[in-house]
Amino acid sequence: MNGQNRKDVLPGKTVDIVLKKDQKTGKLTRGIVKDLLTKSSTHPHGIKVRLTDGQIGRVKEVHDN
C-alpha cells in the first residue's frame, strides 16, 4: 500500500518513510508508526508520521505486520 490514505497508516504499522533531509534522493527509512501528524484523510505526498524512534517523515510504503 502507498502511504497516501490515512486509514491505511495506523500506529504500530511498519512503514517506509522519506525524511525531510532525504527528499531529494528519495532514500527510505523503515520504522514503526507512533503518531499520525497529517490531519486530512489523504495527502498526495504521503501521510506525515512520527516513528517510535522520533523520526518524522512522509509514508511511501505500508507493510503488513
Side-chain angles (χ1 to χ4, degrees):
M1 284 181 278
N2 66 26
Q4 296 179 350
N5 296 314
R6 198 171 194 271
K7 66 178 175 53
D8 297 334
V9 182
L10 302 170
K13 284 272 197 184
T14 301
V15 296
D16 289 335
I17 66 169
V18 173
L19 302 172
K20 184 78 168 173
K21 66 178 181 144
D22 295 330
Q23 283 180 343
K24 285 190 169 128
T25 64
K27 178 178 172 256
L28 298 176
T29 302
R30 183 163 293 182
I32 298 171
V33 176
K34 180 179 180 187
D35 301 308
L36 300 174
L37 303 177
T38 299
K39 299 297 183 204
S40 63
S41 61
T42 63
H43 193 284
H45 299 231
I47 300 298
K48 189 179 275 190
V49 297
R50 178 180 295 117
L51 301 180
T52 53
D53 64 3
Q55 296 184 92
I56 295 173
R58 293 200 180 272
V59 177
K60 295 299 173 191
E61 186 76 28
V62 180
H63 300 281
D64 292 326
N65 53 336

